[in-house]
Amino acid sequence: MDSSEQCKEVYAHFGLAMYRAQCVEQSIIQLLIFFDFFPDKVPRYTSTEQWETDFDSFSGDLSSKTMGQLIKKLRDANAVDANSDAKLGDVLKKRNWLAHSFFADHALTFLSEEGRSEMVKQLEECTSYFGEVEDILNPITYNLCEKYGLTKEKLREIELQLFAEANGDLPAP
């Protein structure tokens, strides 16, 4: 592979790793919605309009927080066990390193084929780790979904509806 293609590969793997980090972040937000928002709002639900307004406000507030702040809120809610909590700490460190230091740490490494290969390897490891953490968080979310009547079938229906509304050119998941 020529150097130009290998550089593109590094950037592609970086993009995938950051995407997976954002997936973890969104999983944390979903958990917080079920641990923080639902217990308060479901018993007091009176109208769809108010629900949507409150939900959008709560979700928007969470989305404006840093990953570290979100993890702290998750810890405060006692939403995860000690093992998952430790992994979240590692996720935060890996995500912050990727976002703030990865390319600076590899400024000279990037200049050689061997160095770029090592960068790709590190990025693949981060991507894999983020996937492992999502595999821990998602079942917790799915259990909470069931608790509130959001069955797998209903979630699939919502997913397909959102996909159709997006009018995308990718095949439906």
Side-chain angles (χ1 to χ4, degrees), residues 9 22 43 49 51 76 84 105 108 119 131 143 161:
E9 186 177 353
Q22 288 181 8
E49 294 78 20
W51 175 269
D76 291 347
S84 300
D105 288 353
L108 296 176
M119 291 170 74
N143 287 337
Q161 179 184 354

Side-chain angles (χ1 to χ4, degrees), residues 28 32 36 62 65-80 85 88-89 92:
I28 294 168
L32 288 168
D36 240 1
L62 290 178
K65 296 193 179 314
T66 66
M67 184 183 259
Q69 291 169 329
L70 293 171
I71 290 171
K72 182 182 181 323
K73 283 184 74 67
L74 203 57
R75 288 174 174 150
D76 291 347
N78 293 316
V80 293
D85 183 61
L88 288 173
L92 180 60

Side-chain angles (χ1 to χ4, degrees), residues 110-161:
F110 191 76
L111 300 176
S112 72
E113 180 179 346
E114 184 180 319
R116 290 186 297 273
S117 291
E118 178 58 31
M119 291 170 74
V120 167
K121 181 181 172 200
Q122 289 177 353
L123 291 165
E124 287 173 339
E125 289 169 359
C126 287
T127 300
S128 177
Y129 189 76
F130 295 145
E132 289 172 24
V133 173
E134 258 198 300
D135 289 344
I136 292 168
L137 298 178
N138 287 342
I140 300 168
T141 301
Y142 291 136
N143 287 337
L144 291 166
C145 285
E146 291 279 340
K147 175 181 174 181
Y148 289 102
L150 293 169
T151 63
K152 288 182 181 179
E153 294 78 22
K154 183 65 177 168
L155 290 171
R156 178 70 176 151
E157 181 184 315
I158 292 168
E159 179 183 41
L160 291 174
Q161 179 184 354

